[in-house]
């Protein structure tokens, strides 16, 4: 019997362990369908952080990647937060270190540091305010225009924010998402030839040549809202392929086509029902953040949640 055959049994075990532990299961939109189906909440990075901030559950299990579980832990220092796969790391989050930020600050005195939540806690600790793809424009717009902004680590999200805010004084780090960076304008143009009436909806981690061809640029949950509210019946989706599942679940009568089949984030796919069951059963893998790092990092997330009340995308 393979993994697929085991899904009903594993799902029952997860439900039983979850009850026993008084746990909440938070799941990112790119996770495997069977994992999404067991989530108490399924959403984007902002939604996951907001849910983590308000839960009463004693145990938080985060099905996603490292920085999402770390953010949940920062907002719940007294609770246990588990990441079911300890190898589920976001490669973009590894592209910047605290020393890089400290150096940038020294080079640009008076600048405000805005870091994407896709960063490790020690980078958040030297950051003034975090952002997600849903509120990055709003966060940057909240900073007085005369102040330079150091934006880390995603150069594509940074370029999109710069375009939307019209802000010239932005210093943008050179990181990227290896999955979203694969998209090319020609992929979108080819897909548009096949589906001329489709709307193009892309994630702001996409390169600018792709963003320029989009009808809408949204976070993953922003895509769900947009496609649900818009009249079009076919959408070309420019983000990780796992997004097709929640889109189809929300809008069963609409058609969703990924702009290129290569858009798979390998670490987002590591979590299975087996790892989720093991996490709840064996209480692994517990996320820990040293106290001094946590208290500084928490402030940058709390500032974001303050500004971000009412999302923008
Ligand atoms: P969202 O916050 O839009 O879900 O994006 C998270 C992410 O990692 C995208 O690659
Ligand atoms: Fe990180 Fe990209 Fe994967 Fe999102 S899709 S978790 S940004 S590597």
């Amino acid at each position: 019997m393979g993994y697929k055959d085991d899904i009903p049994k594993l799902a029952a075990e997860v439900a039983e362990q979850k009850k026993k532990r008084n746990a909440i299961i938070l799941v990112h939109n790119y996770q495997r369908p069977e994992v999404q189906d067991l989530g108490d909440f399924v959403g984007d990075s902002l939604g996951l952080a907001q849910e983590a901030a308000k839960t009463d559950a004693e145990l938080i299990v985060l099905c996603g990647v490292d920085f999402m579980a770390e953010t949940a832990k920062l907002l719940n220092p007294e609770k246990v937060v588990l990441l079911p796969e300890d190898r589920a790391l976001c490669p973009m989050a590894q592209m910047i270190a605290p020393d890089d930020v400290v150096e940038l600050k020294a080079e640009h005195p008076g600048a405000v540091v805005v870091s994407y939540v896709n960063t490790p806690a020690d980078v958040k600790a030297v950051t003034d305010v975090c952002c997600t793809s849903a509120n990055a424009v709003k966060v940057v717009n909240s900073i007085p225009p005369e102040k330079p902004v150091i934006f880390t680590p995603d150069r594509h999200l940074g370029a999109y924010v710069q375009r939307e805010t019209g802000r010239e004084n932005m210093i943008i780090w050179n990181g990227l998402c290896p999955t979203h960076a694969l998209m090319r304008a020609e992929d979108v143009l080819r897909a548009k030839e096949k589906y001329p009436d489709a709307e193009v909806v892309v994630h702001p981690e996409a390169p600018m040549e792709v963003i320029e061809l989009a009808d809408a640029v949204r976070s993953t949950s922003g895509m769900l809202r947009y496609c649900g509210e818009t009249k079009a019946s076919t959408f070309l989706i420019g983000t990780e392929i796992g997004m097709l599942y929640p889109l189809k679940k929300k809008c069963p009568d609409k058609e969703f086509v990924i702009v290129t089949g290569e858009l798979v984030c390998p670490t987002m796919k590591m979590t299975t029902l087996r790892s989720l069951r093991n996490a709840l059963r064996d209480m692994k893998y517990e996320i820990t953040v040293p106290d001094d790092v946590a208290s500084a990092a928490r402030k940058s997330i709390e500032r974001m949640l303050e500004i971000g009340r009412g999302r923008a995308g």
Side-chain angles (χ1 to χ4, degrees), residues 162-182:
Q162 191 158 31
R163 187 188 82 165
E164 292 301 294
T165 59
R167 208 164 174 125
E168 275 165 28
N169 52 357
M170 273 178 80
I171 303 104
I172 301 174
W173 191 249
N174 200 17
L176 50 71
C177 163
T179 303
H180 286 82
L182 293 173

Side-chain angles (χ1 to χ4, degrees), residues 58-290:
E58 285 161 27
L59 173 68
I60 299 172
V61 186
L62 203 138
C63 300
V65 290
D66 54 344
F67 73 82
M68 297 172 178
E70 226 174 43
T71 301
K73 178 66 185 174
L74 292 171
L75 292 166
N76 290 280
E78 74 298 344
K79 289 185 181 161
V80 176
V81 177
L82 303 177
L83 180 69
E85 282 290 340
D86 62 346
R87 297 162 305 142
L89 311 176
C90 167
M92 187 207 289
Q94 316 297 312
M95 293 181 188
I96 186 144
D99 284 354
D100 299 323
V101 179
V102 172
E103 259 177 48
L104 282 172
K105 281 194 203 187
E107 279 168 33
H108 303 279
V112 177
V113 180
V114 178
S115 292
Y116 197 21
V117 279
N118 301 39
T119 41
D122 55 6
V123 169
K124 291 187 175 81
V126 289
T127 286
D128 294 303
V129 54
C130 286
C131 70
T132 74
S133 60
N135 61 20
V137 171
K138 199 170 181 178
V139 166
V140 170
N141 271 333
S142 75
I143 297 164
E146 66 282 4
K147 287 208 178 251
V149 170
I150 295 171
F151 191 92
T152 86
D154 185 1
R155 68 169 187 247
H156 293 311
L157 179 63
Y160 170 69
V161 169
Q162 191 158 31
R163 187 188 82 165
E164 292 301 294
T165 59
R167 208 164 174 125
E168 275 165 28
N169 52 357
M170 273 178 80
I171 303 104
I172 301 174
W173 191 249
N174 200 17
L176 50 71
C177 163
T179 303
H180 286 82
L182 293 173
M183 273 183 278
R184 290 284 164 270
E186 65 203 56
D187 297 319
V188 179
L189 295 172
R190 203 180 307 116
K192 279 229 46 123
E193 260 175 41
K194 209 166 161 201
Y195 301 93
D197 297 330
E199 282 209 23
V200 179
V201 184
V202 308
H203 196 274
E205 287 175 18
M208 188 49 80
E209 65 182 65
V210 169
I211 286 183
E212 277 170 352
L213 296 170
D215 296 296
V217 181
R218 294 287 187 282
S219 76
T220 57
S221 290
M223 286 182 180
L224 283 167
R225 280 186 295 279
Y226 182 83
C227 296
E229 287 161 7
T230 307
K231 281 208 170 62
S233 57
T234 309
F235 296 87
L236 300 175
I237 301 297
T239 194
E240 209 272 347
I241 197 159
M243 196 59 216
L244 295 184
Y245 180 69
L247 283 166
K248 198 72 200 162
K249 200 168 172 177
K250 174 159 179 167
C251 310
D253 300 332
K254 297 189 177 186
E255 189 176 4
F256 300 97
V257 180
I258 202 88
V259 296
T260 157
E262 301 159 295
L263 301 180
V264 179
C265 172
T267 53
M268 273 284 181
K269 297 293 173 271
M270 283 178 179
T271 307
T272 61
L273 286 194
R274 199 166 283 134
S275 30
L276 179 54
R277 186 270 321 266
N278 294 351
L280 283 158
R281 187 191 61 197
D282 306 334
M283 293 293 281
K284 66 184 188 186
Y285 294 90
E286 186 172 349
I287 301 293
T288 54
V289 183

